[in-house]
Amino acid sequence: MAQRRAHRWPEPLAGRPERIWYGGDYNPDQWPEDVWDEDVRLMVKAGVNLVSVGIFSWARIEPREGVFDFGWLDRIIDKLGKAGIAVDLASATASPPMWLTQAHPEVLWKDERGDVCQPGARQHWRPTSPVSREYALKLCRAMAEHYKGNPYVVAWHVGNEYGCHNRFDYSEDAERAFRKWCEERYGTIEKVNDAWGTAFWAQRMNDFSEIVPPRFIGDGNFMNPGKLLDFKRFSSDALKAFYVAERDALAEITPGRPLTTNFMVSAFGTGLDYDDWGREVDFVSDDHYFTPGEAHLDELAFSASLVDGISRKDPWFLMEHSTSAVNWRPINYRKEPGQLVRDSLAHVAMGADAVCYFQWRQSKAGAEKYHSAMLPHAGEDSQVFRDVCELGRDLNALADGGLLGTRLAKSRVAVVYDYESEWASEHTATPSQRVHHVDEPLEWFRALADNGVTADIVPVRSNWDEYEMAVLPSVYILSAETVRRVRDYVANGGRLIATYYTGLSDERDHVWLGGYPGAIRDVVGVRIEEFAPLGDDWPGTPDRLDLDNGATAHDFADVITSVGKDATVLASFRDDPWTGMDGRPAIVGNAYGEGRTVYVGARLGRDGIARSLPMMFSSLGVEVPETSDPGLLRVERVDEETGARFVFLFNRTHAVVEAVQDGMPVVASLADADDGKVTVRPNGVIVLRK
């Protein structure tokens, strides 16, 4: 596995103080030049100090093959820099121009049926195409040579949202690259046969030339799960290799300038293995768009915490989010009053030292014309722009107050998130299509918050085994190495919660035998012989199971047939005797070595988990958190050297919430501090310095 690159952060412009970076994507090539001066004036008014430029500008920068037009880009970068606004300059390779795809249609990717993705949108290029790479690197080198001495360019924005539209390619280029990837990973075709279990359905291969991508195999058929899992790994690696090639071309010419690319991390965003990609950037960047409805804040905080985990608590960059509505959902809900400021400060609370939007000025044409922006169609005289200005002032106040240099404080509890477990659990031949790894971590984050704990969301490769307590929520794949870590963690005194669907398979998606959960069943003190999926798709099938602690299981339950000698049943199922589930263990505590575990053998949802957590804490010997209002999400950033702490309090509800004032107010939005207490209104946040 590649060594992690050293963290490097964009430096402020010469003579400018260090600030929280603030701004967004800027597309001056969408507008006549007489608009640019107005843009710069309003950016200064809003407190903007950085914009990302040129992300989709390949056709403007290189209008014909080998002919470059940098004049317009030079002029806008100069205007921005002289106004104190730094530039995060894109490699501009995200979408090839028409002249390229017409001359070289072989760069266009193919879907699983062999149909070609035609130009007309974006990301219509093959990650494995030598021709795609050749032209992209020519552009990267031209950009780097031209801007290597420009004092206003502080970072490189390599590509854009890799894999958003071209995650999978089934072309001939991809076929050749997939064969090479398999050969490098396994060495021999026999090891591939073993990994993919090709003895089943006569799929055995004699040579690497017989490997093909998992193309269309007919409606209702089932792809080899090992092959499909590896193709998802390969696809992430293929895009990463394209990024690395661009990165290295830029870095060779401009070695002093940090480079990044924008991830798309969310509770449900599992297209690429972003924890693996996190090794390859100088600083982690993320694009995040809110989940409408009651999970809005919790999902945002969860996702931001995961980005912090991918960054290993180094500062990270929020490259894109929205001031209000997006344009790509069936119904594009606006943000409620206060959420523009609150959402941004939630990312800051979770470790972001940069807050940027898509985009600066709302487009008047094109597919994203109804996507909100910092400067909306309504112009300067709008609530959105007034909120944008308020946020600019808030970010400066936090910088003045000493926030820079702090990091997200480590929680007592880690909730583990695993991209490969999600990829494996997505297969169409599983115990239940309603159950995937990605369903569970957010529910645990929310339930823990309901019990006064703001957990850290951490990738499976990270240091989850250094926390007081760790949760493995439906972590379907446990490799031999992860099994070792689990066993060592608990044996040495760790407190572990594992749930249904955890540890069913190894990294090849081969089932751990002997009864579920395979290689850790002695650690968690249960043995499961089969599953009891729950659903309502057939008349008379059970769709729920009650527990004797008041919780209710839905979608999935384990048939726990025995528990270990040191195990204690904490909760049992209650059901009609004919189901075979009445009285069976549902939640089990166990002692293992110096540590303790709890196994949760059913999908309980946020409410059921929250209800059950106090008994789990007690069984684990974990101190129950002090009673706090579950309507507040508390997040802290800390400077380990000085001891300075910033406490962020976010209202999770649509009611007014009060708490004890724990520090001096630095920033407040829809919140007040008075007489030793704080009052946080709906969509409000207050930041206190201790």
Side-chain angles (χ1 to χ4, degrees):
M1 190 135 324
Q3 183 177 358
R4 195 174 187 88
R5 288 172 71 88
H7 183 266
R8 294 194 299 162
W9 190 251
E11 296 289 334
L13 296 180
R16 296 278 175 168
E18 187 177 10
R19 289 292 190 203
I20 297 171
W21 290 115
Y22 181 48
D25 284 17
Y26 181 38
N27 297 288
D29 41 330
Q30 292 182 14
W31 302 93
E33 292 198 23
D34 58 13
V35 175
W36 295 358
D37 288 335
E38 178 76 353
D39 282 332
V40 172
R41 179 186 72 82
L42 292 174
M43 287 178 190
V44 171
K45 180 177 180 179
V48 167
N49 55 31
L50 178 143
V51 290
S52 297
V53 178
I55 292 171
F56 293 107
S57 299
W58 190 342
R60 181 71 185 272
I61 293 170
E62 190 180 6
R64 294 182 300 281
E65 182 176 352
V67 177
F68 295 95
D69 176 10
F70 292 114
W72 68 276
L73 193 52
D74 292 344
R75 290 192 294 278
I76 188 58
I77 290 175
D78 190 61
K79 285 179 181 289
L80 292 164
K82 287 178 177 175
I85 301 168
V87 170
D88 167 46
L89 184 59
S91 64
T93 54
S95 286
M98 289 297 294
W99 60 257
L100 174 54
T101 55
Q102 287 190 345
H104 295 283
E106 68 271 22
V107 306
L108 301 170
W109 59 266
K110 293 184 178 181
D111 69 13
E112 63 178 355
R113 292 175 180 261
D115 292 335
V116 175
C117 173
Q118 297 292 335
R122 59 179 178 172
Q123 285 194 342
H124 41 274
W125 50 272
R126 299 179 187 177
T128 56
S129 166
V131 178
S132 292
R133 182 175 295 200
E134 176 188 354
Y135 279 91
L137 296 188
K138 283 180 181 178
L139 179 59
C140 286
R141 294 186 183 105
M143 294 283 289
E145 287 287 354
H146 190 82
Y147 290 103
K148 63 184 178 183
N150 192 296
Y152 303 134
V153 177
V154 298
W156 282 113
H157 187 300
V158 186
N160 188 73
E161 293 185 338
Y162 286 90
C164 184
H165 304 283
N166 61 348
R167 177 189 177 192
F168 296 131
D169 171 38
Y170 301 85
S171 68
E172 295 76 13
D173 285 330
E175 181 173 274
R176 286 187 288 270
F178 186 40
R179 288 170 178 166
K180 182 178 179 181
W181 183 93
C182 290
E183 190 166 6
E184 291 174 350
R185 182 177 178 90
Y186 293 106
T188 68
I189 195 65
E190 286 308 320
K191 289 184 178 179
V192 179
N193 282 317
D194 180 57
W196 293 359
T198 57
F200 187 76
W201 281 356
Q203 294 178 355
R204 185 181 183 277
M205 299 169 292
N206 298 303
D207 187 82
F208 284 100
S209 65
E210 296 181 9
I211 291 176
V212 295
R215 297 186 176 111
F216 181 67
I217 54 173
D219 291 327
N221 216 332
F222 300 102
M223 179 58 64
N224 180 302
K227 177 180 182 175
L228 188 57
L229 176 58
D230 268 346
F231 190 73
K232 291 176 180 179
R233 289 169 171 146
F234 155 76
S235 298
S236 183
D237 286 350
L239 284 157
K240 183 179 66 175
F242 200 100
Y243 156 75
V244 167
E246 289 194 65
R247 179 201 70 191
D248 290 350
L250 294 164
E252 182 180 3
I253 299 169
T254 59
R257 192 169 288 152
L259 306 98
T260 193
T261 189
N262 43 340
F263 300 165
M264 296 176 288
V265 177
S266 69
F268 314 109
T270 58
L272 304 181
D273 186 344
Y274 287 121
D275 188 49
D276 176 46
W277 279 61
R279 309 175 199 282
E280 303 291 353
V281 293
D282 291 338
F283 59 95
V284 170
S285 301
D286 189 46
D287 296 351
H288 181 271
Y289 290 96
F290 72 96
T291 298
E294 59 88 24
H296 182 135
L297 175 64
D298 286 357
E299 190 281 328
L300 186 158
F302 171 98
S303 300
S305 179
L306 177 55
V307 180
D308 187 73
I310 292 169
S311 186
R312 303 301 192 264
K313 293 200 175 297
D314 282 327
W316 54 273
F317 203 115
L318 179 62
M319 192 66 75
E320 289 184 26
H321 68 316
S322 64
T323 55
S324 190
V326 299
N327 69 298
W328 38 263
R329 291 190 176 109
I331 301 174
N332 293 301
Y333 297 97
R334 72 172 188 137
K335 286 191 175 181
E336 298 168 8
Q339 289 181 346
L340 184 154
V341 173
R342 184 206 63 184
D343 287 2
S344 297
L345 294 181
H347 287 287
V348 172
M350 290 293 183
D353 278 0
V355 172
C356 289
Y357 290 97
F358 179 84
Q359 58 180 320
W360 162 252
R361 180 182 283 271
Q362 190 170 5
S363 301
K364 66 177 181 180
E368 294 185 297
K369 63 182 177 292
Y370 290 117
H371 192 295
S372 62
M374 300 174 79
L375 185 64
H377 289 152
E380 180 180 2
D381 184 14
S382 63
Q383 188 58 50
V384 165
F385 186 71
R386 286 188 285 274
D387 289 348
V388 163
C389 294
E390 176 187 339
L391 177 59
R393 293 189 295 271
D394 288 345
L395 295 176
N396 281 333
L398 289 170
D400 290 338
L403 183 78
L404 292 170
T406 65
R407 302 289 184 268
L408 176 64
K410 183 178 178 181
S411 175
R412 299 166 58 199
V413 179
V415 175
V416 176
Y417 191 92
D418 181 34
Y419 291 96
E420 293 192 351
S421 285
E422 172 55 22
W423 295 347
S425 66
E426 289 167 347
H427 197 271
T428 53
T430 58
S432 172
Q433 293 298 289
R434 296 185 180 182
V435 177
H436 302 99
H437 163 69
V438 76
D439 296 328
E440 198 71 7
L442 177 60
E443 299 299 311
W444 279 85
F445 178 83
R446 302 189 76 190
L448 284 160
D450 292 340
N451 280 268
V453 177
T454 303
D456 283 354
I457 309 303
V458 299
V460 71
R461 296 187 193 93
S462 73
N463 63 340
W464 55 265
D465 46 0
E466 296 177 6
Y467 284 74
E468 177 184 347
M469 181 177 125
V471 182
L472 299 180
S474 298
V475 182
Y476 176 89
I477 286 179
L478 289 186
S479 67
E481 171 60 18
T482 306
V483 167
R484 182 197 62 77
R485 292 179 66 191
V486 168
R487 300 179 78 86
D488 289 350
Y489 171 66
V490 181
N492 292 325
R495 272 32 184 183
L496 178 80
I497 297 176
T499 80
Y500 73 98
Y501 239 58
T502 290
L504 300 190
S505 290
D506 66 13
E507 65 273 20
R508 303 167 301 170
D509 200 6
H510 290 203
V511 173
W512 289 105
L513 300 179
Y516 316 114
I520 63 165
R521 60 182 179 271
D522 58 330
V523 179
V524 295
V526 302
R527 184 173 183 270
I528 300 157
E529 294 184 14
E530 63 176 336
F531 308 121
L534 305 168
D536 56 4
D537 53 339
W538 293 90
T541 56
D543 63 354
R544 54 185 285 163
L545 277 171
D546 292 330
L547 277 66
D548 57 13
N549 70 346
T552 300
H554 55 92
D555 292 323
F556 200 85
D558 290 319
V559 182
I560 298 175
T561 52
S562 62
V563 300
K565 63 181 178 61
D566 296 318
T568 302
V569 175
L570 305 179
S572 300
F573 294 115
R574 289 286 175 261
D575 202 17
D576 291 332
W578 61 265
T579 65
M581 295 300 289
D582 185 50
R584 287 199 181 274
I587 303 175
V588 177
N590 191 52
Y592 181 82
E594 299 298 318
R596 294 199 62 84
T597 66
V598 167
Y599 185 82
V600 181
R603 188 177 185 190
L604 302 181
R606 170 193 175 183
D607 292 341
I609 297 168
R611 175 188 290 269
S612 304
L613 269 170
M615 69 165 57
M616 297 187 209
F617 287 141
S618 177
S619 177
L620 292 169
V622 173
E623 181 181 350
V624 179
E626 294 182 10
T627 303
S628 61
D629 194 318
L632 284 178
L633 182 71
R634 180 187 176 98
V635 184
E636 293 192 17
R637 286 185 54 155
V638 60
D639 187 325
E640 297 291 352
E641 293 184 4
T642 67
R645 283 185 175 268
F646 290 80
V647 178
F648 293 73
L649 298 175
F650 298 93
N651 191 336
R652 301 171 72 206
T653 76
H654 282 157
V656 175
V657 183
E658 294 183 346
V660 174
Q661 182 178 336
D662 190 16
M664 295 300 297
V666 180
V667 164
S669 175
L670 298 179
D672 304 291
D674 187 42
D675 291 334
K677 73 175 182 180
V678 297
T679 302
V680 189
R681 296 185 288 282
N683 298 322
V685 54
I686 190 166
V687 186
L688 307 168
R689 191 180 194 280
K690 298 177 70 173

